[in-house]
Amino acid sequence: MKILYLDPALSGTTSGNSSTSTRLTEHWRNLGHAVTSLSVRGEFPEGEAQLRKLINESDLLVALHATHCHSILKIWHDLQKPVPLILIVGGTDLFAPVLESGEVSTEFSWACEESSRIVTLAAGLDAYYPAVRREDWRAKTRLVYQGAEPVKWNCQQYDPQQAVVIGHLRSVKDPLLPVRALEILREKWLLEQTTLKDVRLTIQHFGKMLDLNLKEQIEAAQVQLASGPLRWQWNGPVSETGIRQVMSSAPLLIMPSLHEGGANVVGEFLVSGLPIVASRVAGNLGILGEDWPALFDAGDPQALADLLLRWNQEPQFREQISRAAKNLADQHDLRREEQRWADLFGELGLASAGN
């Protein structure tokens, strides 16, 4: 089978989209299919005639992020939809318009309507479909958790003094929330040094500055929280290899996002048995579950500060998170993810490789 994949990842950057794209195309090739990846960011040097040819010569179209892929999907539609479409739901694609206006975008709605299958990367996202279309879209929605290769630790146990945030700096990821949480903890430490004398915590943020409106505040935090028992530092973008090296020291992952569609990095930490504290938003809950022991309300620095202090000071709390992470590790097994894609292709009558 020939798969044409519409890839929204920005070239030259490490991101959740780029990790997802690399992993999925590898799965599909492992299943024996020929895959052509087409970047949907920027201009198309191939021209519309070549795009039409690529679509007509394919057996399946897979699109990640309806809005970014919309112009090519319109060409596919103009060709009378010659091949099936699988739409993979991105978090920003679904939630950004919902948070702004209370409704999904026109592009997202159109793509869901026209697709043969809709894939979500976290459970429960179908609850955010429009009520009038929810039943029909839910019927063709399939959940495929993102898989990952476990990271081997270079230590024997978690380091309660180390935490990380992994993600590009943009407002939807709320990168300043951990800064505000540390400021709350620093004030508490100054008032209660006797009881909190052993508190030590460094939060490192890895990611590219995509929202320049955050630049001044980020630079100020770099200075204000550069020293002392409670520190924060921004380390800029890091490669996937670099991320895995960071993970090998068994830090705590902080997921402060205002919304998520099912972050790749969450699966990477879970499959490696690594701890997570996360905002109580749909994409996080759809992976971790409502009973995850370390959830906080999105945008609430005090709640995050309380969890960080517990993580730092309470071995029993760390053990509780550890057990929860290990219980979900199999959910993100790479072979299980690949099999789910094989099953999905089979549903569409496209199971045979090499067609």
Side-chain angles (χ1 to χ4, degrees), residues 50-331:
Q50 180 61 19
L51 290 174
R52 289 172 175 268
K53 184 172 184 289
L54 281 172
I55 293 169
N56 278 320
E57 291 179 350
S58 299
D59 301 300
L60 174 67
L61 188 61
V62 182
L64 172 57
H65 201 293
T67 303
H68 289 315
C69 298
H70 186 67
S71 59
I72 295 180
L73 294 181
K74 290 293 286 183
I75 294 173
W76 163 79
H77 189 267
D78 290 344
L79 290 170
Q80 306 301 312
K81 302 192 290 187
V83 297
L85 167 66
I86 297 176
L87 173 68
I88 306 173
V89 176
T92 306
D93 200 22
L94 172 59
F95 288 112
V98 168
L99 291 176
E100 184 175 329
S101 67
E103 299 180 349
V104 299
S105 71
T106 301
E107 293 85 358
F108 181 82
S109 180
W110 181 86
C112 287
E113 198 67 27
E114 299 294 337
S115 65
S116 297
R117 291 292 185 274
I118 304 167
V119 169
T120 63
L121 307 177
L125 301 193
D126 52 0
Y128 294 86
Y129 294 164
V132 294
R133 302 303 303 145
R134 190 171 299 142
E135 184 177 348
D136 288 343
W137 293 2
R138 184 175 281 163
K140 58 181 177 180
T141 294
R142 301 293 180 268
L143 170 62
V144 181
Y145 289 115
Q146 299 194 81
E149 191 70 37
V151 170
K152 185 177 180 180
W153 300 11
N154 61 17
C155 53
Q156 294 300 313
Q157 58 186 6
Y158 300 137
D159 183 351
Q161 298 183 1
Q162 298 294 325
V164 297
V165 182
I166 299 174
H168 295 316
L169 282 80
R170 50 195 181 113
S171 58
V172 71
K173 301 296 183 180
D174 206 359
L176 290 169
L177 188 73
V179 171
R180 297 199 295 273
L182 276 187
E183 290 171 344
I184 289 171
L185 289 178
R186 177 173 280 196
E187 184 175 345
K188 184 178 180 67
W189 181 84
L190 289 171
L191 293 172
E192 305 175 32
Q193 289 190 38
T194 302
T195 56
L196 299 178
K197 62 181 179 180
D198 296 329
V199 172
R200 300 287 186 276
L201 181 63
T202 298
I203 299 176
Q204 299 184 77
H205 192 133
F206 298 90
K208 186 176 181 179
M209 176 78 72
L210 293 184
D211 186 346
L212 294 180
N213 292 324
L214 297 169
K215 187 172 185 293
E216 186 175 332
Q217 296 174 79
I218 293 295
E219 290 176 346
Q222 286 273 73
V223 174
Q224 294 165 6
L225 295 171
S227 60
L230 298 161
R231 305 182 184 189
W232 181 89
Q233 61 187 65
W234 171 47
N235 294 317
V238 63
S239 66
E240 289 189 34
T241 300
I243 289 173
R244 293 179 72 82
Q245 289 174 344
V246 169
M247 291 171 63
S248 69
S249 64
L252 172 72
L253 175 67
I254 302 171
M255 288 291 296
S257 305
L258 298 177
H259 72 65
E260 282 289 348
N264 185 69
V265 70
V266 172
E268 291 177 322
F269 267 67
L270 289 175
V271 82
S272 303
L274 292 172
I276 301 169
V277 297
S279 56
R280 193 179 279 103
V281 297
N284 290 336
L285 295 175
I287 294 176
L288 300 171
E290 296 275 358
D291 58 350
W292 185 258
L295 296 170
F296 59 91
D297 289 340
D300 187 342
Q302 181 65 63
L304 175 56
D306 292 343
L307 287 173
L308 293 177
L309 186 59
R310 290 188 66 193
W311 166 258
N312 187 265
Q313 296 290 291
E314 299 179 22
Q316 289 183 334
F317 185 56
R318 294 197 291 273
E319 179 58 29
Q320 186 182 7
I321 299 175
S322 172
R323 288 195 304 270
K326 290 172 182 175
N327 287 340
L328 291 179
D330 286 348
Q331 178 175 279

